[in-house]
Amino acid sequence: MRKGQYFFTSESVSEGHPDKVCDRVSDSIVDVFLKADAHARVAVETMVTTNRIILAGEVRGPDTLTHAVLEDVARQTVRAIGYDHESFHWKEAEVAVYIHGQSADIAAGVDAKGNRDEGAGDQGIMFGYACRETDVLMPAPIYYAHRILRTLAEARHAGTEPGLRPDSKSQVTLEYQDGRPVRATSVVVSTQHAPDLTQEEIREVVRPYVERALPEGWMCEDAEFYVNPTGIFVIGGPHGDAGVTGRKIIVDTYGGAAPHGGGAFSGKDPTKVDRSAAYAARYLAKNVVAAGLADRCTIQLAYAIGVAKPLAVYIDTHGTGIADEETLAKVLQGLVDLSPRGIREHLGLNRPIYERTAAYGHFGREPEADGGFSWERLDLVDELRAAF
């Protein structure tokens, strides 16, 4: 564990950020396909700009999910976020749908056939991470950056803060002493707002939500609390900046505190290991830390398209582990089948549980009764403790 004083920063973006609008629309389409057919295949991208929504990608599922149905899914998702503005309106926006059937070549490599198990949907490397910095075993900077924006979004949706608009960003810098976070040294919040509010008024609207989101006594000095540093943020959302699915992969994961394989999650059904294997790696790393086998744990999984078993399983406990890492890798693979099919079945991923993941992070959330965030469960802890 690193000694002495250092500082680390992570950012988050809200559900109304243009890229997050795209992530949520794409995941809403994943959900509607999985609700109709648990084994549907989806790889859908979304782009948004001023009063335009563009959907593109490949799918395999029921014919009843027509372009008209998918257009309505996109509109209702944008409506739920809160965009009913003249420049980007859920009902008035132009929607173009360029979604077609899945490539037969990809399907041939991925589908189970004869004695061959289902293969990975693509090659790639995926990482999972866990640490003791927070109760949910996530790095503290990204956890609190998400928490600030979630509390502001909840207030906006509840009508408590009518001056707030959907698009916002946060950034939190924490001071660490001997590897442990002790306080915030700066906080940045940029939030879209009604045109009749001044920068100082928005600052005072935001302040109590930031103070509640951070642990007691962690609030930064007033001079390091930045709200809308440019002075005004009225033009926002897709009218202010175009958005595309998959551009916030560090926001989605560990805020830069851990490696990232490069693949985005949103818009992909769980046969795509970019998504499912990243969830599995987080699940294993979290259980390792929760079991007391390490204070920090990074796990890498590697796959090849059409191949069922992972090519490699790498574990690094960063000098904090009490178990041999090679042995730990073997034990984990004995507890969980890390083939694409094995991951999906173990975590119950063939369900419409993905729209809710599209903002405020895929990790560090509470497991839900319908199977949402199943990769946050701690059901391997007893078996890991027994093994070591």
Side-chain angles (χ1 to χ4, degrees):
M1 185 171 292
R2 181 173 171 178
K3 299 298 183 180
Q5 180 193 57
Y6 61 94
F7 304 89
F8 195 85
T9 305
S10 294
E11 70 158 347
S12 180
V13 298
S14 73
E15 65 201 61
H17 184 282
D19 295 331
K20 280 291 147 201
V21 172
C22 294
D23 285 347
R24 185 162 169 179
V25 169
S26 295
D27 276 338
S28 295
I29 290 173
V30 172
D31 280 357
V32 78
F33 269 92
L34 292 178
K35 187 174 182 179
D37 177 359
H39 298 284
R41 300 289 171 83
V42 186
V44 168
E45 312 292 339
T46 303
M47 176 181 175
V48 294
T49 186
T50 303
N51 253 348
R52 283 175 173 78
I53 304 169
I54 301 167
L55 309 177
E58 300 78 43
V59 296
R60 188 172 75 191
D63 293 337
T64 53
L65 298 179
T66 62
H67 282 191
V69 171
L70 300 183
E71 175 182 334
D72 187 61
V73 169
R75 291 189 186 279
Q76 295 306 319
T77 302
V78 171
R79 184 183 189 183
I81 293 170
Y83 277 114
D84 54 3
H85 310 154
E86 181 180 352
S87 57
F88 191 67
H89 196 292
W90 69 271
K91 190 174 183 179
E92 305 300 330
E94 178 184 327
V95 180
V97 183
Y98 303 101
I99 293 176
H100 56 82
Q102 184 187 45
S103 160
D105 291 348
I106 292 177
V110 175
D111 290 347
K113 185 177 295 185
N115 294 325
R116 190 188 72 187
D117 198 0
E118 174 188 297
D122 201 352
Q123 71 176 45
I125 55 176
M126 297 83 206
F127 287 92
Y129 181 73
C131 63
R132 294 196 180 279
E133 293 180 18
T134 60
D135 290 344
V136 294
L137 306 185
M138 284 288 288
I142 188 67
Y143 175 76
Y144 293 117
H146 286 324
R147 191 168 175 179
I148 288 168
L149 294 188
R150 288 192 76 176
T151 58
L152 287 170
E154 289 164 1
R156 176 175 63 84
H157 283 296
T160 307
E161 301 294 351
L164 299 181
R165 298 291 184 263
D167 191 2
S168 60
K169 303 175 76 171
S170 66
Q171 185 171 285
V172 175
T173 301
L174 297 185
E175 176 187 344
Y176 283 73
Q177 294 286 353
D178 296 333
R180 297 190 179 278
V182 296
R183 68 183 184 99
T185 59
S186 70
V187 175
V188 184
V189 178
S190 295
T191 180
Q192 187 185 13
H193 59 87
D196 59 337
L197 292 176
T198 67
Q199 182 186 25
E200 188 56 37
E201 287 171 331
I202 286 294
R203 180 185 173 91
E204 294 313 308
V205 165
V206 169
R207 183 192 299 275
Y209 294 96
V210 173
E211 291 174 340
R212 286 200 293 269
L214 295 172
E216 186 176 355
W218 276 36
M219 184 63 178
C220 62
E221 295 178 3
D222 201 60
E224 296 297 323
F225 178 45
Y226 303 95
V227 176
N228 288 1
T230 62
I232 187 170
F233 188 4
V234 173
I235 299 171
H239 182 48
D241 189 12
V244 181
T245 300
R247 288 206 298 200
K248 290 292 179 284
I249 58 176
I250 301 303
V251 170
D252 284 343
T253 53
Y254 307 102
H260 195 297
F265 302 157
S266 292
K268 300 174 182 178
D269 74 77
T271 66
K272 278 69 171 175
V273 284
D274 276 344
R275 178 166 228 157
S276 56
Y279 290 169
R282 160 65 178 174
Y283 171 63
L284 296 179
K286 185 177 182 181
N287 275 269
V288 166
V289 173
L293 301 182
D295 290 334
R296 294 172 60 205
C297 182
T298 299
I299 295 180
Q300 183 203 61
L301 305 177
Y303 292 86
I305 188 169
V307 179
K309 65 180 181 64
L311 305 184
V313 178
Y314 167 80
I315 298 179
D316 184 359
T317 55
H318 307 278
T320 70
I322 64 169
D324 174 73
E325 289 158 345
E326 184 178 352
T327 303
L328 181 57
K330 292 177 181 177
V331 169
L332 290 173
Q333 290 177 83
L335 294 177
V336 180
D337 177 358
L338 293 175
S339 69
R341 175 190 52 78
I343 292 170
R344 289 189 296 106
E345 291 179 354
H346 188 94
L347 296 178
L349 298 181
N350 283 100
R351 290 182 274 193
I353 55 174
Y354 297 105
E355 180 184 357
R356 70 195 75 168
T357 68
Y360 314 117
H362 291 246
F363 307 128
R365 312 280 287 270
E366 288 296 321
E368 297 178 348
D370 66 351
F373 302 103
S374 59
W375 48 93
E376 294 295 313
R377 299 187 321 232
L378 294 175
D379 52 359
L380 299 180
V381 167
D382 289 343
E383 291 174 284
L384 283 170
R385 287 174 176 164
F388 291 94

